[in-house]
Amino acid sequence: MKKLNVKNNEAAIYGVGGLGEIGKNTYGVQFQDEIILIDAGIKFPEDDLLGVDYVIPDYKYLVDNKDKIKALVITHGHEDHIGGVPYLMKVLNVPIYAGPLAMALIKNKLEEHGLLNSVELHEINDKSVLKFRKTKVSFFRTTHSIPDTVGIAVHTPVGVIVETGDYKFDLTPVTNQPPDLQEMARLGAEGVLCLMSDSTNAEKPVWTKSEKWVGNSISHIFDQVKDRIIFATFASNISRIKTACDNALARGRKIAVFGRSMDAAIVNGRELGYLDIPDDAFVDANQLQSLPANKTMILCTGSQGEPMAALSRIANGTHRQISIQPGDTVIFSSNPIPGNTTSVNDVINKLEEAGANVIHGKVNNIHTSGHGGQEEQKLMLRLMKPKFFMPIHGEYRMLKIHTELAEQCGVPLDHSFIMQNGDVLALSKDTARLAGHFQAGDVYIDGSGIGDIGSIVLRDRQLLSEEGIVVVVATINLHNQEIQSGPDILSRGFVYMRESGELLDEGRKRVFRTIRKAMHNKKATETSIRNAVIDDLQEFLYDKTERHPMILPMLIMNGSH
């Protein structure tokens, strides 16, 4: 292995993404010349990443070792586990193994990126076994907020390494796919060398409530609402969509679906048999208006306050087909993801102002996490009885608490490893040690551009948002060394032009002199004049305002040689 000091009789495990963060889950298990990749997720950007759509891991190490990668195996179909698949496939084409729902979602993504026909896809279930020359992969069923979730066991010559994927122990799931406790216990009895386990809810000393419990709360709310219901949740939360639709159907309400991802979720859910909704239960926007309010439910995306999602547009009054009517009840069946609280509160305020009754938050029991709390994390540790432990899928403090839980469950603290992306853990039958590090930073995706927004572009965006922009327009004849028109100065987000006439006048005179002086240089070019304008105006504006706007000279060159 390049740069890693892993011995021939050791397996290596690492996170390319997903350690010290929520999202970007991409993990590797490597034995000699075989790598099994687990998941390929994205992360949604923090507020300071202006205009970045999402973040993927740096795949450099994987690209350098692409001949060793035998498979990409997928635990489930959430974005933070499959969102990176098309970007990964652009740089390494490896076979993908995934359950029915995750596979349907991956196919949609590959099709959007024009890759569907060039990638080898294999559908698996919790009983599948994949055999390679030195390693094999088996699966076990878990429960989460999406159907078809599995944990993954990689069998290497030195021992079994288990990656749980996202899980909770929901013993009454609405999808009728309970967790396979027997298989987990069997793995534990046969011996697990290292457990890599989901740490999302490590701070919560609870047993996460079952989806069935949420169903009871939702049923109770549906009984009380006399008018139209607008139900907002994640398009990926098929269990919650099923609960909402079953309750609507039971009360004779027709269902109208809004939002592209919600449409896709309904199609996939029905095709795979998770949603049992007859065709005539659906109505479109036109039919909605003619039905009595107590006979309709609108199902939409936007429970996170996303500006372009259906619910935000309804709240802002900019949705083409739907507006809030007095008496509407809007149910937010999700908790705000950290960082989204402000935008969620914004949407709630607007909906209330428009006359809707909004039901949200813990008090109404209309959401439960898809991740296990401390009690379930302890159960997983007890079932698996690992020799070594590596918490994954969580920020540092979550990983740290998870190692403390492992200690309570019989894993000595020095057998637990809190790792960062790119750190490598080498395991033999009896030992575990840190064995080097590879580059595993963040890559930003903006629109369809991958990695072409580095820190420079982000700094420019930060500057624009904080300091504004000043545009200088002038027409110049370099041959005759004359300024034919301008210079004019425009300010956007820097100073209010009407009140800053003097400052801009003085700036204009100054730029006039600067351009004249720059043109007199025998070697003058458009670039040298631009740079002179930027340097001079920057200094002048900073002197006057103590701010650094971005300066953009637009020079129209006439009669150049």
Side-chain angles (χ1 to χ4, degrees):
M1 285 189 204
K2 181 165 111 26
K3 289 196 213 121
L4 310 180
N5 59 346
V6 176
K7 299 176 189 143
N8 230 8
N9 64 340
E10 288 176 320
I13 54 178
Y14 40 81
V16 185
L19 299 176
E21 60 188 355
I22 299 282
K24 294 210 331 266
N25 293 288
T26 312
Y27 305 98
V29 176
Q30 187 162 351
F31 183 79
Q32 293 173 3
D33 57 355
E34 294 190 2
I35 296 176
I36 305 298
L37 271 187
I38 300 170
D39 290 341
I42 56 171
K43 182 165 82 168
F44 294 101
E46 304 286 335
D47 291 344
D48 57 349
L49 296 178
L50 300 167
V52 170
D53 292 334
Y54 24 77
V55 186
I56 57 172
D58 182 341
Y59 297 133
K60 184 176 183 325
Y61 176 78
L62 301 178
V63 172
D64 290 347
N65 291 275
K66 64 170 182 262
D67 300 339
K68 299 176 182 163
I69 300 173
K70 299 296 166 214
L72 168 61
V73 288
I74 300 294
T75 59
H76 68 285
H78 276 156
E79 285 298 307
D80 54 339
H81 296 259
I82 63 167
V85 168
Y87 304 103
L88 184 61
M89 289 302 120
K90 283 175 185 169
V91 291
L92 33 109
N93 198 336
V94 298
I96 300 175
Y97 297 83
L101 181 57
M103 187 56 87
L105 296 167
I106 286 169
K107 282 179 177 168
N108 292 352
K109 287 180 184 304
L110 293 173
E111 193 162 16
E112 269 176 36
H113 287 261
L115 295 168
L116 186 54
N117 299 327
S118 56
V119 178
E120 186 184 326
L121 302 172
H122 302 272
E123 194 174 292
I124 52 108
N125 60 39
D126 55 332
K127 299 287 180 260
S128 303
V129 177
L130 317 178
K131 291 195 165 103
F132 304 102
R133 234 159 41 85
K134 298 171 182 169
T135 54
K136 77 172 188 177
V137 180
S138 65
F139 303 87
F140 54 92
R141 193 167 62 217
T142 56
T143 38
H144 183 44
S145 54
I146 186 172
D148 297 335
T149 52
V150 290
I152 290 170
V154 182
H155 304 254
T156 75
V158 293
V160 177
I161 292 152
V162 171
E163 205 267 48
T164 64
D166 292 1
Y167 70 92
K168 65 197 257 190
F169 283 101
D170 188 341
L171 307 178
T172 51
V174 297
T175 51
N176 215 6
Q177 296 179 330
D180 191 344
L181 299 164
Q182 290 78 3
E183 181 57 22
M184 296 180 210
R186 193 184 67 72
L187 280 164
E190 288 178 3
V192 170
L193 178 62
C194 185
L195 174 66
M196 303 161 75
S197 182
D198 169 18
S199 311
T200 311
N201 278 347
E203 294 172 288
K204 299 185 176 158
V206 295
W207 186 293
T208 298
K209 290 275 198 287
S210 167
E211 196 58 48
K212 193 75 114 226
W213 171 83
V214 176
N216 295 340
S217 306
I218 288 174
S219 175
H220 182 60
I221 291 167
F222 272 59
D223 280 341
Q224 294 171 319
V225 176
K226 300 288 174 271
D227 287 306
R228 188 168 68 169
I229 292 174
I230 299 177
F231 194 95
T233 189
F234 291 115
S236 61
N237 195 336
I238 302 271
S239 305
R240 197 68 46 80
I241 293 171
K242 176 176 164 54
T243 301
C245 291
D246 289 354
N247 275 288
L249 293 174
R251 290 162 184 78
R253 287 180 183 262
K254 299 284 188 191
I255 301 163
V257 182
F258 291 96
R260 211 169 59 116
S261 52
M262 191 61 86
D263 270 332
I266 297 276
V267 169
N268 287 329
R270 289 176 80 202
E271 276 179 5
L272 296 167
Y274 295 122
L275 299 174
D276 183 16
I277 310 170
D279 287 346
D280 63 1
F282 294 103
V283 292
D284 62 25
N286 303 329
Q287 296 165 285
L288 254 189
Q289 310 309 338
S290 58
L291 287 165
N294 64 349
K295 290 293 171 206
T296 57
M297 176 184 80
I298 291 170
L299 184 65
C300 65
T301 51
S303 61
Q304 293 300 308
E306 308 93 322
M308 292 316 292
L311 189 62
S312 298
R313 300 210 307 272
I314 294 169
N316 292 328
T318 55
H319 197 286
R320 286 201 320 278
Q321 297 153 311
I322 305 280
S323 55
I324 290 294
Q325 301 165 358
D328 281 352
T329 295
V330 181
I331 301 172
F332 273 77
S333 193
S334 67
N335 279 349
I337 295 172
N340 288 355
T341 315
T342 319
S343 41
V344 171
N345 289 340
D346 244 13
V347 172
I348 292 174
N349 286 330
K350 284 179 181 147
L351 290 166
E352 293 268 6
E353 278 170 29
N357 168 31
V358 181
I359 299 177
H360 64 96
K362 293 195 173 69
V363 283
N364 296 299
N365 303 338
I366 45 174
H367 181 60
T368 180
S369 175
H371 302 269
Q374 290 184 357
E375 297 307 310
E376 288 143 288
Q377 291 172 342
K378 289 190 274 193
L379 176 57
M380 183 63 84
L381 283 153
R382 288 292 187 198
L383 286 168
M384 292 290 176
K385 302 189 300 208
K387 187 175 283 187
F388 299 105
F389 178 59
M390 172 180 157
I392 57 170
H393 197 295
E395 295 173 7
Y396 181 85
R397 63 186 189 284
M398 302 164 190
L399 305 179
K400 182 166 182 285
I401 293 169
H402 207 165
T403 60
E404 291 159 11
L405 298 176
E407 190 183 21
Q408 293 170 27
C409 295
V411 179
L413 209 46
D414 62 357
H415 282 209
S416 281
F417 295 85
I418 300 178
M419 316 259 285
Q420 291 177 344
N421 293 331
D423 288 349
V424 177
L425 187 65
L427 301 157
S428 73
K429 287 190 166 87
D430 310 299
T431 62
R433 61 188 184 87
L434 290 173
H437 178 86
F438 58 81
Q439 167 188 328
D442 287 349
V443 172
Y444 302 130
I445 294 184
D446 179 3
S448 56
I450 304 180
D452 52 5
I453 10 182
S455 51
I456 308 286
V457 177
L458 285 170
R459 200 177 64 228
D460 282 353
R461 289 179 183 175
Q462 192 76 30
L463 196 63
L464 278 170
S465 74
E466 288 171 7
E467 308 280 355
I469 184 168
V470 170
V471 182
V472 178
V473 185
T475 306
I476 299 170
N477 186 320
L478 195 53
H479 189 48
N480 301 339
Q481 293 192 349
E482 66 179 0
I483 299 173
Q484 293 178 326
S485 77
D488 291 316
I489 294 184
L490 299 169
S491 153
R492 289 287 179 273
F494 167 57
V495 290
Y496 185 50
M497 290 185 68
R498 268 191 217 156
E499 291 173 7
S500 310
E502 274 180 46
L503 173 73
L504 296 178
D505 269 346
E506 204 179 325
R508 201 173 292 121
K509 289 174 186 151
R510 184 148 176 170
V511 170
F512 187 84
R513 292 196 297 271
T514 305
I515 293 175
R516 275 239 305 256
K517 189 174 160 195
M519 281 196 303
H520 284 309
N521 182 337
K522 287 194 175 62
K523 293 182 182 159
T525 60
E526 183 181 349
T527 309
S528 69
I529 299 170
R530 275 180 60 119
N531 291 343
V533 170
I534 292 172
D535 292 346
D536 197 42
L537 197 53
Q538 201 127 48
E539 187 184 332
F540 166 72
L541 292 175
Y542 187 74
D543 273 354
K544 297 287 183 195
T545 64
E546 297 210 336
R547 288 168 66 195
H548 278 303
M550 186 183 274
I551 292 173
L552 193 61
M554 298 179 71
L555 303 180
I556 298 148
M557 309 300 278
N558 276 344
S560 317
H561 307 285

